[in-house]
């Protein structure tokens, strides 16, 4: 049963009274069965926002008001990147600029890439997840197009051409009927579940715009070939699944009534295909066949881009595409098999990076001391046992991708059937009472108790309450207690599976690429598709197969599809034009060098100042305009063991932070691996971290092999290299358990600010790199995008990130100013006026409790939502659970009109006038000063907690 009650007047100055809630409990005491109630303090918003929320508490709610207010409505469609009306966007272009848009839509990783349609200059590229704050989000592109046009200060009339892809269904036919789309929108089905579905910014139906579709793997190929720093080569595309054969076949028939559609089937019969009778098999299939792996050759030596497929392998849809994830994990591409391992271990098909990071733990051994409590048969004698993962002997995938005979590619899913690892409840996860004691089933690392390095110590957080950890109790790696994190049984099994699937992937793909290198004679290689996010595989391909140059874009996954679509729209395909006898169009000049990965929105100084100002009561802000001084401060903070966050300039396109939205730390301090994983990123402690290294120093620290890139082999963190054995002890925080490291090389030309910061750290320490991980501290969120995102993520780290550097501002978390709150004497002898605590904004309350036959069992739980507070997180509704009724009443009082003394006086008055309930006037045994102190301490503790979580300030 859910009951909802309106609150009192927003302007009410009366003290919120707890007894009214207790009276309500008494009223419901005679209910026969356990019933759940919710008392919700709410009111209908005047618009799609939190504009009408009131700030009084639920404790004085009237039981007799019967308001029909609707639930809170949240509108997430607003564009957070539009500059203030009085400020010109830093990315604004000429108002007559013609735009060409490349778009990946409706599938995962929805993205946009915008270029000048005449010159070919890329002006903007962005992924939707940065707006929605949901990783890999799909759906329509209305919000992306709006962000793009706002940043460039253009409108839809500037868009002249759109090239798009969605590998699940054709787009333009689906969007051909607005009435159909409005019907879907009205019912909230299909694409209509999301705002913007029928907007012109998504459909372009009411615009004079040329629209083109292209197939999936071809778009991947263009994302690499069009910008690679060499004129010819081979492109290998491998992902989970690409376009369906039937969609490509229908589009390739070039029906006069069809919109333009380009795919590899325009060259059908001119490339090798597996299966060779794909056309017949597709007719017989219950479902369809999809692209699995593709190989292309390209040439741009004469100023035109020519891309031709030379090999395609299709894989059958073995289960209905209407099933979970389109039946993807039952398909037989190398990417789909690897993704199935990700689902089996982590419950997430898109956690393949975790699988890659887990695999190197194969072969590592942990020692565990067994006491007499665990080994009673030993008579109390302790002994050490060794924990290690057992190698799976049976391969998961084998054979040759380019064969159809007995040597053909094969799959055995038996190791990924039955109960998934993520769902197992093994005995070692529980104690003798049945309580789960190892909630982090994959929470382990290689810290050892015998290590005497003071930097490799671990703070004993077992003595800290969960509440203290959540409230940001000080965590200092220099005073940590050493402690092992041993793997569970399921973690060891996960290591075995990860290692097997990673080894199999490398074996299959190395043979595949080597085969086509020999067959084509090409000496340069491009990689794209989701499998090209596997940096371990990329490292082997670049070092071991003898290619002169290897290029992997910073977005090889589906967020790069938009770049490929844009490139095709700009440059076309010379090979296809010649095949179809088309006259040469007036194409723009090809891109002369790889695109910058930093093509997202540019925060203005005003946006940064406004975000800082909104959170200023919780921040200590130091403006430092001199870059060198600021870099020195940052380098010294890192050198001292602090963790810092850096936010500046335009954001990166792609899944990896490359210095513009990064968390940085000292690679020399091993204990930081566990500290950042647990307390900053809040994730499994086995996961490794990457170094950002000065390119000119990389070969002194890493085994890079022969390369023609002047050691700038991995500017986008795409390649894993082995740390030189002589250097591993110096940079343990970025050296994985097998001695490898996912490397980012940084040049002064491509990234001058980042290069200067790393150089400052190099001057201090002699180590030419920093630990770099993506700036996101909230579970499930992508990298921060806006200044407000950055501050929210920084504050939500609860002090584990020491410093946020945003533009010219060096920001630290402000400690509670207790002297100001209590009006203590200043250094000059004067008594300062007491501050008056004030809420961060209007408050939304919700209280839940259960009524049983035992009235004493009532335990109400109250949570609050303050949309204006800097740590408000829309993903979880922004709810914050209060400790108790006292904390809720305090929050209600904190309206900026009462000092601490006045708050204490109000509480004492409510409790009987002298600080205690006056139920027994003859009882003189109570010492009132002691009880006053208890009341004071309880109120102070809650005020501090509310401040730390940005619900109040003073």
């Amino acid at each position: 049963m859910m009951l909802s009650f309106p609150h009192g007047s927003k302007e009410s100055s009366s003290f919120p009274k707890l007894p009214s809630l207790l009276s309500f409990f008494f009223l419901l005491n005679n209910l026969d069965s356990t019933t759940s109630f919710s008392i919700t303090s709410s009111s209908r918003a005047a618009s799609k926002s939190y504009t009408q929320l009131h700030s009084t508490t639920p404790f004085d709610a009237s039981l007799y008001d019967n308001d029909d207010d609707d639930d809170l409505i949240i509108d997430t469609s607003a564009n957070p990147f539009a500059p203030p009306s009085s400020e010109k966007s830093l990315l604004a272009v000429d108002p007559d600029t013609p735009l060409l848009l490349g778009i990946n839509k409706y599938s995962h990783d929805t993205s946009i890439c915008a270029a000048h349609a005449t010159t070919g200059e890329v002006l903007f590229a962005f992924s939707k997840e940065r707006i929605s704050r949901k990783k890999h989000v799909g759906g329509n592109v209305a919000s992306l197009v709006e962000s793009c046009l706002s940043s460039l200060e253009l409108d839809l009339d500037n868009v002249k051409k759109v090239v798009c892809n969605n590998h699940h269904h054709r787009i333009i036919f689906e969007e051909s009927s607005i009435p159909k789309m409005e019907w879907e929108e009205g019912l909230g089905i299909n694409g209509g579940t999301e705002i913007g579905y029928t907007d012109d910014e998504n459909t372009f139906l009411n615009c004079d715009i040329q629209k083109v579709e292209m197939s999936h793997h071809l778009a991947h190929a263009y994302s690499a070939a069009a910008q690679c720093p060499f004129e010819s080569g081979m492109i290998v595309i491998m992902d989970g699944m690409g376009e369906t054969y039937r969609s490509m076949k229908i589009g390739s028939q070039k029906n006069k009534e069809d919109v333009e559609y380009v795919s590899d089937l325009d060259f059908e019969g001119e490339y090798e295909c597996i299966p060779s009778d794909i056309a017949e098999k597709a007719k017989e299939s219950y479902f369809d066949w999809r692209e699995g792996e593709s190989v292309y050759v390209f040439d741009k030596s004469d100023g035109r881009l020519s891309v031709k497929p030379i090999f395609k392998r299709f894989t059958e849809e073995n289960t209905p595409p209407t099933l979970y994830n389109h039946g993807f994990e039952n398909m037989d591409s190398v990417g789909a098999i690897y993704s199935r391992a990700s689902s089996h271990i982590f419950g997430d098909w898109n956690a393949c990076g975790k699988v890659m990071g887990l695999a190197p733990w194969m072969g590592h051994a942990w020692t565990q001391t067994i006491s007499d409590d665990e080994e009673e048969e030993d008579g109390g004698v302790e002994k050490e046992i060794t924990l290690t993962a057992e190698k799976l002997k049976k391969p998961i995938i084998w054979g040759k991708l380019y064969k159809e005979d007995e040597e053909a590619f094969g799959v055995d899913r038996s190791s990924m059937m039955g109960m998934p690892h993520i769902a197992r409840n093994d005995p070692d996860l529980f104690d003798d009472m049945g309580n789960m004691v190892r909630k982090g089933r994959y929470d382990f690392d290689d810290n050892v108790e015998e290590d005497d390095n003071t930097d490799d110590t671990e703070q004993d957080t077992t003595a800290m309450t969960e509440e203290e950890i959540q409230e940001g109790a000080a965590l200092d790696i220099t005073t940590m207690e050493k402690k092992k994190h041993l793997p569970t049984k399921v973690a060891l099994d996960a290591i075995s599976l990860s290692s097997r699937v990673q080894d199999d992937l490398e074996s299959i793909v190395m043979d595949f690429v080597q085969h086509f290198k020999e067959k084509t004679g090409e000496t340069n290689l491009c990689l794209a598709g989701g499998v090209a996010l596997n940096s371990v595989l990329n490292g082997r391909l670049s070092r071991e197969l003898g290619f002169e140059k290897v290029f992997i874009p910073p977005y090889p996954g589906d967020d790069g599809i938009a770049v490929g679509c844009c490139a095709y729209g700009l440059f076309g395909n010379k090979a296809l034009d010649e095949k179809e006898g088309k006259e040469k169009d007036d194409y723009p000049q090809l891109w002369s060098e790889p695109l910058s990965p930093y093509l997202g929105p540019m925060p203005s100084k005003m946006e940064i100042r406004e975000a800082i100002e909104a959170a200023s009561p919780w921040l200590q802000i130091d403006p430092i305009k001199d870059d060198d001084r600021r870099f020195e401060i940052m380098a010294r903070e890192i050198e001292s063991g602090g963790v810092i966050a850096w936010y500046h300039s335009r954001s990166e396109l792609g899944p990896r932070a490359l210095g513009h939205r990064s968390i940085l730390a000292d690679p020399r301090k091993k204990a930081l691996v566990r500290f950042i994983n647990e307390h900053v990123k809040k994730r499994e402690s086995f996961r490794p971290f990457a170094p950002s290294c000065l390119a000119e120093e990389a070969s002194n620290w890493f085994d890079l092999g022969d390369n023609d890139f002047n050691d700038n082999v991995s500017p986008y963190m795409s390649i894993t290299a082995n740390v030189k054995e002589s250097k591993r002890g110096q940079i343990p925080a970025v050296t994985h358990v097998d001695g490898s490291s996912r490397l980012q090389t940084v040049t002064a030309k491509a990234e001058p600010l980042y290069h200067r910061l790393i150089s400052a750290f190099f001057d201090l320490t002699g180590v030419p790199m920093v630990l770099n991980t993506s700036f996101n501290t909230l579970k499930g969120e992508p990298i921060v995008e806006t200044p407000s995102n950055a501050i929210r993520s920084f504050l939500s780290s609860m002090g584990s990130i020491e410093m946020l550097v945003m533009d010219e501002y060096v920001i630290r978390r402000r400690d509670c100013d207790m002297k100001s709150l209590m009006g203590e004497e200043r250094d000059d002898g004067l008594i300062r006026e007491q501050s008056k605590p004030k809420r961060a904004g209007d408050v939304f309350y919700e209280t839940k409790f259960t009524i049983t036959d035992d009235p004493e069992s009532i335990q109400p739980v109250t949570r609050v939502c303050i949309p204006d507070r800097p740590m408000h997180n829309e993903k979880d509704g922004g709810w914050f659970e209060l400790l108790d009724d006292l904390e809720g009443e305090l929050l209600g009082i904190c309206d900026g009109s009462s000092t601490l003394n006045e708050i204490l006086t109000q509480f004492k008055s409510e409790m009987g006038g002298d600080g205690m309930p006056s139920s027994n006037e003859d009882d003189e045994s109570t010492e009132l000063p002691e009880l006053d102190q208890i009341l004071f301490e309880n109120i102070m503790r809650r005020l501090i907690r509310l401040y730390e979580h940005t619900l109040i300030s003073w």
Side-chain angles (χ1 to χ4, degrees), residues 556-587:
D558 280 7
D559 43 4
I561 287 292
V563 178
C565 288
C566 183
Y568 175 78
L570 289 171
F571 309 125
N573 188 348
K574 179 185 175 183
L576 185 58
D577 289 348
E578 291 176 346
K579 175 180 173 62
E580 297 183 345
K582 291 183 179 179
E583 295 183 4
K584 179 181 178 181
D585 290 334
D586 187 16
Y587 295 103

Side-chain angles (χ1 to χ4, degrees), residues 99 144-156 159:
L99 282 185
L144 279 177
V145 173
E146 290 171 359
S147 295
C148 173
L149 296 177
S150 294
S151 295
L152 302 179
E153 293 199 356
L154 300 175
D155 56 40
L156 275 176
V159 180

Side-chain angles (χ1 to χ4, degrees), residues 300-311:
K300 47 186 179 180
S301 58
D302 63 353
R304 285 290 315 281
L305 177 57
S306 175
V307 178
K308 290 187 65 174
I310 61 168
F311 172 85

Side-chain angles (χ1 to χ4, degrees), residues 25-41:
F25 295 157
F26 179 78
L27 181 69
L28 299 171
N29 190 33
N30 293 323
L31 292 178
D32 294 331
S33 59
T34 301
T35 310
S36 179
F37 297 88
S38 175
I39 301 179
T40 305
S41 175

Side-chain angles (χ1 to χ4, degrees), residues 585-853:
D585 290 334
D586 187 16
Y587 295 103
Q589 183 177 348
L590 295 175
W591 298 328
S592 60
E593 60 184 4
L595 301 174
S596 168
Y598 312 104
L599 292 168
M602 168 74 87
S604 69
K605 290 186 178 296
M606 182 180 293
E607 289 174 298
I608 291 173
R609 286 195 298 268
E610 288 177 349
I612 292 174
E613 178 62 28
S616 59
W618 300 273
L619 303 176
Q620 177 184 322
I621 306 153
D622 189 9
I624 300 177
K625 294 187 177 182
D626 182 80
D627 288 345
D628 290 334
R629 183 175 166 226
R630 192 167 62 253
F631 292 152
E632 181 183 1
I633 291 171
M634 295 168 69
R636 289 193 179 279
E637 181 65 39
I638 295 171
E639 186 269 340
S640 69
V643 179
I644 74 171
W646 196 16
Y647 175 100
H648 70 100
S649 308
R650 303 180 71 175
S651 59
E652 306 93 331
L653 178 65
R656 286 161 184 161
L658 301 175
H660 285 205
R661 307 285 188 275
S662 288
I663 292 171
L664 307 175
D666 192 340
R668 303 172 304 158
K669 295 178 169 59
K670 175 70 171 180
L672 281 170
V673 176
R674 184 185 294 179
F675 178 82
I676 297 174
N677 273 326
E678 288 189 358
H679 301 294
V680 179
K681 305 283 283 186
K682 303 175 184 68
R683 66 186 193 184
E684 305 93 340
S685 60
F686 77 83
R687 295 174 64 178
F689 290 105
S692 295
C693 181
L694 301 177
E696 61 270 26
E697 294 289 335
S699 61
N700 296 325
W701 293 77
F702 303 93
D703 294 324
L704 303 180
D706 296 330
N707 67 86
D708 291 337
F709 286 103
N710 297 320
D711 291 342
N712 189 30
V713 296
S714 187
Y716 314 128
M717 210 180 284
S718 304
I719 287 176
T720 292
N722 286 326
V723 181
K724 292 192 172 182
E725 288 195 23
S726 61
K727 301 290 188 181
R728 294 177 184 179
Q730 297 182 54
I731 51 171
V734 293
T735 302
H736 203 12
V737 65
D738 63 344
S740 66
S741 196
R742 192 181 70 193
L743 175 66
Q744 179 192 3
T745 48
V746 181
T747 66
K749 178 183 177 182
E751 193 47 33
L753 292 179
Y754 201 15
H755 192 274
R756 287 169 65 185
L757 171 61
I758 299 171
S759 296
F761 183 78
F762 188 19
D763 292 340
L764 275 178
T765 64
V767 175
M769 70 193 75
V770 293
L771 180 155
N772 174 18
T773 187
S774 58
F775 186 6
N776 53 334
T777 64
L778 295 165
K779 186 176 181 180
E781 282 212 356
I783 302 171
V784 301
E785 181 57 45
T786 66
S788 296
N789 293 159
I791 289 174
R792 177 168 62 100
S793 194
F794 168 63
L795 289 172
S796 297
S797 74
M798 301 307 295
S800 58
I801 299 178
E802 296 280 348
M803 176 190 293
L804 166 62
V805 179
M806 188 155 57
D807 197 35
E808 65 189 46
Y809 301 98
V810 176
I811 303 169
R812 296 180 184 272
R813 191 183 182 103
R814 186 193 296 272
D815 294 330
C816 288
D817 187 355
M818 304 307 299
K819 291 183 177 181
S820 171
L821 185 63
M822 294 187 291
E824 291 187 356
E825 183 177 339
R826 300 189 318 199
D827 293 338
D828 57 10
L830 298 176
I831 302 298
R832 69 176 73 188
E833 183 179 350
Q834 282 191 344
S835 299
K836 298 176 180 180
K838 184 178 181 180
R839 291 182 297 274
D842 292 344
V843 189
F844 184 82
Y845 284 82
E846 183 179 89
T847 298
K848 294 183 178 180
F849 54 91
T850 300
I851 301 298
T852 66
D853 293 335

